[in-house]
């Protein structure tokens, strides 16, 4: 289906989610515009090369956002969070302000379809993790507005598992879930495919919440997948208690994983019908995850456990 005459505005297009979305929307035939902080950055330049129109500005620049939204059919909204630590130095109040202001601007601009990226685990009640509870507040604000909106709730990214610092270099991978726990994972490249399907069918997806994932696996089986892909043995365990005792943030994430809140609750059959090409963890590891995995195998650097 081609949407050649209509434009969609993507936030965070130089990042993981927005990048995946911008790419998928271009492939689906939409005109794509992106709000970027620095049009001279290599990532912004490659967006422009791909045919994406750039508007320079940031989340606190109401004028830039207003001009970026002029005449657009839809908006993909995602914000950085405090969970990303020093990368952006965003406070929880910043995230909420950015998310609400983006939605307000979409209403003001008469946007037909707002797609907001929240997170799996977000619901009516706070869960005690600040960068999830921020998203509950943004979701509630969006629901109060006169705009057709779809909320996507991504589960944890596969891409996070191959960041350096989880022990891949020493053959002992550590993560959030107990080995026997069933967990859902999302390939960042699939986010764009889901969001493109949502923008293509506003009557179906408008006013809905869709939890998105690519695969559902037993956490301990990650050892098998990693061993197969690395060609050498990699074991799996949950972060040890002594690590959790010294890191309350990580301990809370593990607690919420163990009680199921963060394990993912997406309907895989529904998602497969929407995106028949969605990745399995194994196919992702052999494909777009391969380079990061290889790099992590050879990297001894420690992960900053605040960046979740
Ligand atoms: N990791 C996971 O498993 C997971 C799962 C579910 C949800 N989430 C949520 O995903 C969100 C992060 O998304 P992501 O992974 O796509 O982030 P990302 O890759 O770090 O990209 C962040 C994007 O936001 C832009 N940005 C940062 N500060 C900005 C500002 N002040 N104004 C305008 N743009 C700004 C960045 O632009 P520059 O290029 O200019 O820096 C970049 O394009 C967080 O809210 C996180 O909680 C993560």
């Amino acid at each position: 289906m081609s949407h050649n005459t209509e434009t969609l505005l993507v936030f965070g297009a130089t990042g993981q989610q927005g990048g995946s979305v911008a790419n998928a929307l271009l492939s689906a035939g939409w005109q794509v515009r992106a709000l970027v902080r620095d049009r001279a950055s290599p990532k912004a330049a490659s967006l422009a090369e791909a045919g994406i129109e750039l508007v320079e500005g940031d989340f606190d620049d109401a004028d830039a956002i207003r001009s970026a939204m002029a005449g657009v059919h839809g908006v993909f909204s995602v914000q950085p969070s405090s969970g990303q630590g020093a990368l952006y130095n965003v406070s929880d109040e910043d995230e909420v302000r950015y998310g609400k202001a983006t939605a307000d601007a979409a209403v003001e601009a008469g946007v037909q379809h707002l797609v907001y990226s929240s997170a799996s685990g977000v619901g009516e009640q706070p869960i005690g993790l600040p960068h999830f509870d921020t998203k509950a507040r943004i979701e509630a604000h969006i629901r109060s507005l006169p705009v057709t909106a779809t909320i996507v709730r991504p589960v944890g990214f596969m891409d996070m598992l191959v960041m350096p610092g989880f022990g891949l270099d020493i053959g002992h991978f550590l993560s959030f879930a107990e080995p026997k726990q069933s967990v859902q994972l999302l390939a960042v490249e699939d986010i764009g495919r889901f969001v493109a399907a949502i923008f293509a069918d506003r009557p179906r997806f408008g006013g809905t919440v869709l939890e998105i994932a690519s695969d559902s696996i037993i956490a301990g089986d990650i050892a098998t997948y990693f061993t197969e892909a690395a060609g050498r043995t990699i074991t799996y365990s949950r972060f040890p208690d002594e690590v959790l005792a010294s890191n309350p943030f990580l301990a809370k994430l593990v607690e919420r994983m163990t009680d199921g809140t963060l394990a993912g609750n997406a309907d895989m059959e529904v998602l497969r019908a929407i995106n028949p090409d969605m990745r399995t963890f194994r196919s992702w590891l052999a494909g777009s995850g391969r380079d990061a995995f290889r790099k992590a195998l050879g990297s001894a650097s420690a992960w900053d456990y605040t960046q979740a």
Side-chain angles (χ1 to χ4, degrees):
M1 185 174 174
S2 182
H3 310 271
N4 282 336
T5 56
E6 287 169 316
T7 300
L8 300 178
L9 173 66
V10 177
F11 285 85
T14 53
Q16 300 191 92
Q17 298 201 47
S20 174
V21 168
N23 197 24
L25 295 178
L26 265 188
S27 300
W30 295 90
Q31 304 293 317
V32 181
R33 188 180 292 166
L35 186 96
V36 296
R37 293 197 290 177
D38 175 8
R39 66 164 69 242
S41 74
K43 283 181 179 170
S46 68
L47 294 174
E49 250 171 60
I52 292 172
E53 180 192 353
L54 304 183
V55 174
E56 214 168 33
D58 69 33
F59 279 117
D60 270 329
D61 185 343
D63 288 341
I65 291 180
R66 201 170 290 120
S67 53
M69 285 202 188
V72 303
H73 168 82
V75 171
F76 174 73
S77 167
V78 63
Q79 285 75 43
S81 77
S82 66
Q84 295 175 284
L87 187 58
Y88 301 113
N89 276 320
V90 168
S91 71
D92 297 320
E93 289 312 311
D94 287 337
E95 183 189 352
V96 172
R97 188 175 72 255
Y98 294 164
K100 286 183 176 179
T102 304
D104 290 342
V107 173
E108 194 190 313
V111 161
Q112 297 294 302
H113 196 178
L114 171 67
V115 177
Y116 167 61
S117 183
S118 176
S120 167
V122 172
E124 303 274 304
Q125 300 301 322
I127 64 166
L129 281 162
H131 62 300
F132 287 76
D133 296 339
T134 47
K135 293 171 176 62
R137 289 166 63 194
I138 297 168
E139 284 193 11
H141 183 71
I142 289 172
R143 277 190 207 95
S144 75
L145 296 175
V147 64
T148 298
T150 304
I151 292 168
V152 290
R153 292 186 180 149
V155 302
F157 302 162
M158 294 178 184
D159 311 64
M160 263 193 59
L161 300 187
V162 294
M163 285 166 61
F166 289 103
L168 279 173
D169 56 314
I170 55 167
H172 189 107
F173 180 70
L174 297 174
S175 195
F176 303 93
E178 297 287 352
K180 289 193 169 147
Q181 190 171 8
S182 175
V183 291
Q184 295 183 337
L185 294 167
L186 175 64
V188 164
E189 64 184 289
D190 277 329
I191 299 174
R193 298 189 184 107
F194 288 122
V195 171
I198 289 167
F199 276 122
D201 196 348
R202 178 174 172 268
R204 174 178 172 192
F205 292 108
T208 68
V209 175
L210 185 69
E211 181 152 341
I212 55 173
S214 305
D215 199 6
S216 190
I217 61 171
I218 302 299
D221 289 347
I222 289 174
T224 312
Y225 300 129
F226 279 165
T227 296
E228 183 184 280
R232 59 179 155 92
T233 302
I234 294 174
T235 58
Y236 176 96
S237 31
R238 200 211 69 192
F239 291 111
D241 288 340
E242 54 273 26
V243 170
L244 301 184
S246 64
N247 189 320
F249 178 79
L250 187 60
K252 191 77 184 172
L253 279 170
V254 167
E255 183 190 325
R256 288 293 178 232
M257 178 60 78
T258 307
D259 73 14
T261 308
L262 298 183
N265 195 28
D267 185 329
M268 303 308 293
E269 288 315 306
V270 168
L271 294 178
R272 197 163 290 111
I274 295 170
N275 169 19
D277 293 331
M278 70 190 193
R279 297 293 172 251
T280 61
F281 186 60
R282 184 182 258 134
S283 70
W284 174 82
L285 205 49
S288 66
R290 191 170 180 276
D291 288 351
F293 177 62
R294 291 269 149 208
K295 202 169 157 199
L297 284 176
S299 168
S301 70
W303 185 56
D304 173 356
Y305 292 128
T306 60
Q307 289 193 23

